[in-house]
Amino acid sequence: NTRCGNYYNITTADVRGIGKVQQYYVKRDYQKYQNIQERDNQESRNNNNNKRTSQNKELIQRIRNSETLKDLLRLFQQEHKKPEFRPSHISTCWNKATHLMKNERHTINNRTFLPLINHTITTIKDFDVPSLARTAHGIAKISSQTKLSLDPSFWKAVEVETMKKTRIEGQQISNILWAFAKVKRSSPELFHFMQSKILPKLDTFDSQTMANIVWAYATLGHEASDLFAAMSKKAINELDTYNSQDMANIVWAYATVGHKAPELFDAISEKAIYKLDAFS
């Protein structure tokens, strides 16, 4: 470039260079703007998630604080149409109802829980495994002690939704199988499916979970020889952790299905000698 007085001659190359510099700063500033926007959006999402979590915990606590069955069902009517009412709240309602029914069990029937029943059935496809397990367990427990009796379609829905799940923990398996056995709801497909979930993680199961599972299989007469054989080996090594009810359930289950386990029976007999008072 040549200088003429106080001015410079600007070439075409210079103009192009200035344009590139401008483009660079525009891109840099736009990227910076995008980063700020993403950060603000993430903060907003985190705040919303924290708010929903807080609301979720608050409502669960209100359900648990219900003092009577009437209070519980009134709270359900007030809250169940709100968007923040979730499957976890439904399952908590059923679980709480099992603790509140003691003084009203002779008057409980389907009409008592009709709104809760209908909402449970219409939303069951949205349930996660913990909510399915708690709901099935709660309904079965109430049904076994009152005149509550849900339509077979409900239990079919529980079966279908459970078999869609890829991960189910031991306590959840136990609760669901116990529920089906308690209401005498036979389901060979579900029990066969559950066996495939139990065997790979059997080492993680505690004594009560194992006792409830074999009790459920025996009660409904579902074949599970591999499962009973595997549980027998595990139980023999862990009988010190079993209480009298667990041992009684296991003995009954093995005898009912006719699964021979002499080593298990001998071990339980030996332990029972020291726990005779607990068996009376």
Side-chain angles (χ1 to χ4, degrees):
N1 299 332
T2 57
R3 182 171 180 176
C4 299
N6 293 326
Y7 299 96
Y8 284 95
N9 290 328
I10 306 298
T11 67
T12 302
D14 293 326
V15 173
R16 283 198 297 267
I18 293 171
K20 289 180 180 179
V21 171
Q22 288 176 329
Q23 287 179 355
Y24 166 76
Y25 281 105
V26 168
K27 288 181 179 178
R28 187 195 65 177
D29 291 344
Y30 180 69
Q31 185 63 49
K32 185 177 180 181
Y33 168 78
Q34 283 187 317
N35 292 339
I36 293 173
Q37 281 291 100
E38 179 58 32
R39 184 192 65 196
D40 291 344
N41 290 339
Q42 186 61 51
E43 288 180 357
S44 177
R45 287 193 293 269
N46 290 340
N47 290 336
N48 289 336
N49 288 337
N50 291 337
K51 183 178 179 180
R52 283 194 294 268
T53 300
S54 177
Q55 291 174 335
N56 179 50
K57 291 181 178 179
E58 180 185 352
L59 182 51
I60 284 180
Q61 193 58 52
R62 288 173 61 198
I63 294 171
R64 290 174 176 168
N65 289 342
S66 299
E67 295 184 356
T68 67
L69 193 56
K70 188 175 182 179
D71 291 340
L72 172 66
L73 296 175
R74 184 187 299 116
L75 178 60
F76 166 78
Q77 289 282 46
Q78 293 171 354
E79 301 291 336
H80 78 279
K81 292 184 179 180
K82 297 180 180 179
E84 59 266 26
F85 197 82
R86 302 177 181 179
S88 60
H89 300 124
I90 300 173
S91 63
T92 304
C93 283
W94 284 113
N95 179 262
K96 182 63 180 180
T98 65
H99 300 284
L100 297 176
M101 69 174 179
K102 294 180 181 179
N103 297 327
E104 305 179 50
R105 64 183 61 183
H106 297 298
T107 62
I108 290 175
N109 54 36
N110 282 27
R111 289 188 61 185
T112 308
F113 292 101
L114 189 59
L116 180 55
I117 290 172
N118 289 339
H119 191 69
T120 301
I121 292 173
T122 56
T123 59
I124 199 167
K125 290 184 178 180
D126 299 324
F127 279 35
D128 57 11
V129 177
S131 297
L132 273 173
R134 283 194 300 267
T135 297
H137 186 272
I139 290 175
K141 188 172 183 178
I142 297 171
S143 297
S144 68
Q145 300 180 37
T146 69
K147 294 181 180 179
L148 179 69
S149 178
L150 266 68
D151 188 86
S153 62
F154 165 76
W155 294 105
K156 182 63 179 178
V158 174
E159 173 189 312
V160 170
E161 294 306 315
T162 299
M163 292 173 64
K164 291 179 181 178
K165 311 303 182 184
T166 57
R167 182 173 181 178
I168 311 178
E169 301 302 327
Q171 186 63 54
Q172 296 156 359
I173 293 171
S174 173
N175 284 349
I176 292 173
L177 296 183
W178 180 92
F180 274 73
K182 201 67 176 176
V183 298
K184 303 294 190 293
R185 173 70 184 179
S186 179
S187 178
E189 295 84 1
L190 175 65
F191 277 68
H192 180 72
F193 168 82
M194 286 299 206
Q195 186 174 179
S196 68
K197 297 295 181 182
I198 295 169
L199 290 173
K201 58 177 66 177
L202 188 58
D203 287 342
T204 66
F205 289 10
D206 61 24
S207 58
Q208 185 179 22
T209 297
M210 289 177 57
N212 286 344
I213 288 173
V214 294
W215 176 86
Y217 274 89
T219 297
L220 294 178
H222 289 309
E223 174 63 26
S225 57
D226 291 344
L227 175 61
F228 275 68
M231 283 195 167
S232 175
K233 293 178 181 178
K234 176 176 168 62
I236 290 172
N237 296 322
E238 300 177 357
L239 278 181
D240 287 338
T241 67
Y242 282 58
N243 61 33
S244 57
Q245 187 61 58
D246 294 335
M247 286 192 280
N249 284 347
I250 286 180
V251 169
W252 179 87
Y254 277 73
T256 298
V257 300
H259 186 94
K260 295 181 180 181
E263 292 181 358
L264 174 62
F265 276 53
D266 288 344
I268 290 178
S269 297
E270 184 178 343
K271 291 293 180 183
I273 293 175
Y274 299 100
K275 297 186 178 184
L276 284 177
D277 292 340
F279 280 91
S280 59

